[in-house]
């Protein structure tokens, strides 16, 4: 089984499998992220977007032609043998019940954010807060998207100080891994402090 050179430090003995969910608004790069980081051929449930959703499924990139209709699934083995099972959520708020189901048993959530529409991220963050699942916010860098300082981002997203914020490119495996490792370390921190 492949293993990363990147390290997740101080793994408690016995931690071997972790379920995490990748969330975020429509078109922020969730499917791309899982496709980039997965060591297995990912399960992808994208289907063509039709005129029926034209008025409700709005996003910054109007050239996108498919959308996730159920979930994405991938797997990544990190250094130390920890196996991360990645579930990608659909982006439309009307699938909130589906996302709640995906969050069942999840140890963490990675919220991808496109700075062209920060407000669209609230839904994902609320679902995670409601489910009591710790999360990391990852700004997925798009070419035409505005750059904001961390202070402005935290303020705009009302992101609590204890929630990590990272920048990544969902198309680049090394960059994508920074988000995953930050999340796993955040999940494991309380376990380490009680070890
Ligand atoms: N520039 C840039 N484009 C990206 C990045 N990540 C994804 N894309 C592109 O953005 C588009 C949307 O990506 P998807 O991965 O389908 O987004 P999604 O969040 O899964 O979308 P839904 O399932 O419809 O909610 C695709 O055309 C990607 O090629 C990124 O980091 N930078
Ligand atoms: Mg998708």
């Amino acid at each position: 089984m492949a293993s990363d050179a990147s390290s997740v430090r101080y793994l408690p003995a016995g931690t071997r499998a972790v379920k995490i969910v990748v969330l975020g608004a429509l078109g922020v790069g969730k499917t791309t992220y899982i496709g980039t980081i997965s060591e297995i051929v990912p399960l992808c449930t994208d289907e063509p977007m039709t005129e029926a959703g034209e008025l409700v499924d709005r996003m910054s990139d109007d050239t996108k032609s498919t959308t996730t209709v159920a979930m994405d699934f991938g797997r990544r083995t990190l250094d130390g043998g920890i196996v991360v099972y990645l579930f990608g959520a659909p982006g439309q708020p009307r699938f909130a019940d589906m996302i709640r189901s995906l969050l069942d048993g999840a140890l963490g959530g990675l919220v991808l954010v496109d700075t062209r529409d920060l407000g669209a991220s609230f839904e994902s963050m609320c679902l995670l807060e409601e489910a009591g699942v710790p999360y990391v916010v990852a700004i997925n860098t798009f070419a035409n998207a505005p750059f904001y300082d961390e202070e402005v981002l935290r303020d705009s997203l009302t992101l609590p100080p204890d929630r990590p914020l990272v920048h990544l490119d969902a198309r680049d495996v090394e960059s994508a891994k920074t988000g995953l490792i930050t999340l796993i370390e955040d999940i494991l921190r309380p376990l380490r402090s009680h070890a």
Side-chain angles (χ1 to χ4, degrees):
M1 189 181 291
S3 178
D4 285 339
S6 319
S7 62
V8 175
R9 296 183 295 275
Y10 316 121
L11 287 177
T15 305
R16 284 291 167 261
V18 176
K19 175 184 179 182
I20 76 129
V21 181
V22 179
L23 305 93
L26 192 63
V28 293
K30 302 175 292 294
T31 300
T32 303
Y33 183 86
I34 291 181
T36 299
I37 209 159
S38 181
E39 68 200 3
I40 57 171
V41 176
L43 169 76
C44 171
T45 63
D46 269 34
E47 293 292 339
M49 298 175 86
T50 66
E51 283 178 12
E54 210 171 341
L55 292 177
V56 282
D57 290 344
R58 312 212 100 137
M59 60 188 152
S60 306
D61 175 10
D62 56 10
T63 61
K64 197 165 111 78
S65 59
T66 65
T67 188
T68 301
V69 295
M71 56 179 249
D72 307 297
F73 177 74
R75 187 190 73 201
R76 183 86 202 191
T77 306
L78 298 176
D79 211 20
I82 190 164
V83 181
V84 182
Y85 293 97
L86 298 126
F87 293 76
Q92 293 88 338
R94 63 181 175 276
F95 291 130
D97 280 339
M98 164 82 190
I99 300 171
R100 285 188 186 97
S101 304
L102 282 181
L103 287 173
D104 193 19
L107 292 189
L110 186 69
V111 182
L112 293 182
V113 172
D114 179 346
T115 57
R116 291 171 293 187
D117 190 357
L118 292 172
S121 312
F122 286 128
E123 179 81 19
S124 303
M125 293 164 68
C126 284
L127 287 168
L128 284 156
E129 301 271 359
E130 180 190 289
V133 174
Y135 61 92
V136 165
V137 167
I139 307 296
N140 189 21
T141 316
F142 287 84
N144 303 323
F147 176 84
Y148 299 114
D149 289 337
E150 174 159 348
E151 196 181 336
V152 174
L153 286 170
R154 284 189 174 277
D155 198 36
S156 306
L157 294 167
T158 58
L159 186 63
D162 66 325
R163 291 297 88 224
L165 175 72
V166 296
H167 289 76
L168 54 78
D169 184 331
R171 301 162 301 173
D172 178 89
V173 66
E174 291 305 318
S175 176
K177 276 193 303 194
T178 59
L180 188 56
I181 289 171
T182 303
L183 177 60
I184 301 296
E185 291 198 329
D186 185 64
I187 292 167
L188 295 177
R189 190 167 299 117
L191 301 176
R192 287 201 299 264
S193 61
H194 289 102

